[in-house]
Amino acid sequence: NTGAYKVVRSNQVEYVPVITEQMIEMVESADVRDLLRKLKLSSVIIVPLFARGHSLGTLSLIWAESDHYYTADDLTLTEELAKRAALALDNARLFSEAQRLNTELEERVLKRTHQLQRTNLRLSKEIEDRKLAEEKYRELNVDLEEHVIERTRQLENANQNLQREVLERERVDNALRSSLQKTHELYEIS
């Protein structure tokens, strides 16, 4: 439980200023021990890359094939470098996420705009159709009013003619009755 895996899990620095033969002997795998000896590792710093609550990986510095060793100043510098690198990586992640969200939003806005344009076009057509229907209704209403007025005039004329005819018939009927009564009176006298 050492190395980058442990650093990522624990968010703690692993600093080995000097790698000794005893440390290499403690490694369980013979193949790994042989590899470590061949690489001639001398010193290791593994620092977590952690920003805004996210573990992003590790920054690993390893001296090999030399007699150089990392110091406490190297560790401090590496920790500062890791903080800046982690922020840069997280900013890149946030920027990428913002770009993705912006693209999604633009696509949704375009889709919604297209839907609204289609709806506006349909509503404009419906409004135009209603205006035409209202104009036709007004024209038909005017025509109907004119027909009603003309028919009313015709019916009033027909009614006046009927009233005259009724009066004329009543006069003729009265005249006939009067004539019939006189005829009846003459007949009775004779």
Side-chain angles (χ1 to χ4, degrees), residues 123-164:
L123 289 174
S124 294
K125 182 165 179 8
E126 285 180 14
I127 289 169
E128 187 62 31
D129 290 348
R130 284 186 182 185
K131 284 180 181 178
L132 290 172
E134 286 173 3
E135 182 59 32
K136 188 68 174 169
Y137 172 76
R138 279 193 285 280
E139 289 172 6
L140 289 172
N141 201 29
V142 167
D143 288 348
L144 182 61
E145 288 286 329
E146 290 173 359
H147 272 49
V148 166
I149 290 169
E150 177 61 25
R151 188 67 180 140
T152 301
R153 190 183 57 73
Q154 290 172 352
L155 289 172
E156 285 173 348
N157 287 341
N159 193 27
Q160 287 173 359
N161 289 339
L162 282 173
Q163 285 176 352
R164 278 193 295 268

Side-chain angles (χ1 to χ4, degrees), residues 168-185:
E168 182 62 29
R169 285 187 184 203
E170 283 178 0
R171 192 181 56 76
V172 167
D173 198 35
N174 285 339
L176 278 175
R177 266 194 210 122
S178 173
S179 176
L180 194 65
Q181 190 171 4
K182 285 182 186 181
T183 305
H184 191 334
E185 287 173 6

